[in-house]
Amino acid sequence: MRVLVIEDDVALAKGLKLNLELAGYQPDVVYGVKEAERFLDGCQVDLLLLDVNLPDGNGVVFARELRGRIDIPIIFLTARDLDEDMIVGFQAGADDYITKPFNVQVLIQRVNAVLRRYQVVQEEAARLSVGNLVIDFESYTVMKNGDVLSLTPTEFKLLVKFCQNPGIVLTRQVLLEELWDKEENYVDEHTLTIFVSRLRSKISDETYSYIKTMYGTGYRWIGEEI
């Protein structure tokens, strides 16, 4: 996993880089906010080790701005050890807050812990369990009572749209727009009706009903309601 160290103390940055490599990570080092911005624009990173006091900016402000754009674990490294400073750091989106000086091996363990937590959250977000279905959005698979269902790409696309909008009435126009592909191949209302009917027949049974027809409007995902 790739770790970006944003630290203007050259000796400390090099030491962190070495120890992260020994721990099995792929570390990169930059020395300021502008360097970090350029790096993140071109590379995907799994975690940031971020100094608060940087020569060209404030790490807390930078972290707050990042939180509005990307979801990435952030651990602050700082000499600021007051409770007020820590509160500000966590409010800015820090996943951990480590004060200098620190034991590098303890830092590595805290990096491990933060990444484990993120991995669990990401895995949960990529999989939905509802009723007798388990929907894996990353592998594009759906299991019903433990058996894998055979869904077409269009049926799966419809299912994802429903799952993303629980309880909301999705009009036929909204669903038709969702089914347009990049080449703008058109799907008409009759075809949409067929797609929804096929999807419903595959995922529903006498115990669980997932898609409710809203006559004259569209459809609504109702989860486990019958």
Side-chain angles (χ1 to χ4, degrees), residues 77-107:
L77 305 177
T78 177
R80 298 182 180 182
D81 59 359
L82 296 178
D83 290 346
E84 292 83 355
D85 294 321
M86 293 184 185
I87 291 171
V88 170
F90 283 115
Q91 288 176 338
D95 294 274
D96 205 345
Y97 191 102
I98 300 176
T99 57
K100 302 174 182 178
F102 51 80
N103 183 302
V104 174
Q105 294 307 311
V106 172
L107 180 141

Side-chain angles (χ1 to χ4, degrees), residues 35-79:
E35 276 189 274
E37 288 176 340
R38 287 194 296 268
F39 190 94
L40 291 170
D41 282 341
C43 299
Q44 183 174 346
V45 174
D46 297 293
L47 181 139
L48 298 184
L49 287 176
L50 175 59
D51 188 10
V52 171
N53 295 315
L54 294 164
D56 62 347
N58 181 284
V60 172
V61 175
F62 180 53
R64 190 178 293 117
E65 189 273 332
L66 276 181
R67 276 285 178 254
R69 295 190 287 118
I70 57 176
D71 182 23
I72 183 173
I74 299 174
I75 298 178
F76 279 129
L77 305 177
T78 177

Side-chain angles (χ1 to χ4, degrees), residues 190-202:
H190 176 67
T191 306
L192 172 63
T193 301
I194 293 173
F195 283 141
V196 173
S197 177
R198 287 177 178 173
L199 174 62
R200 180 187 275 136
S201 69
K202 291 179 180 180

Side-chain angles (χ1 to χ4, degrees), residues 115-157:
L115 286 171
R116 280 197 301 269
R117 290 199 299 271
Y118 256 73
Q119 185 175 6
V120 169
V121 170
Q122 289 171 342
E123 288 175 352
E124 290 177 348
R127 177 172 292 195
L128 173 67
S129 295
V130 55
N132 57 355
L133 300 178
V134 177
I135 305 164
D136 192 313
F137 300 108
E138 287 191 346
S139 64
Y140 303 99
T141 58
V142 181
M143 298 185 71
K144 179 180 178 181
N145 295 322
D147 297 322
V148 177
L149 296 180
S150 177
L151 299 186
T152 67
T154 299
E155 290 167 350
F156 190 82
K157 186 184 290 187

Side-chain angles (χ1 to χ4, degrees), residues 176-202:
L176 286 169
E177 290 174 357
E178 183 70 18
L179 297 184
W180 277 35
D181 62 22
K182 293 181 180 178
E183 287 73 38
E184 296 188 355
N185 291 326
Y186 182 68
V187 176
D188 61 25
E189 290 206 17
H190 176 67
T191 306
L192 172 63
T193 301
I194 293 173
F195 283 141
V196 173
S197 177
R198 287 177 178 173
L199 174 62
R200 180 187 275 136
S201 69
K202 291 179 180 180

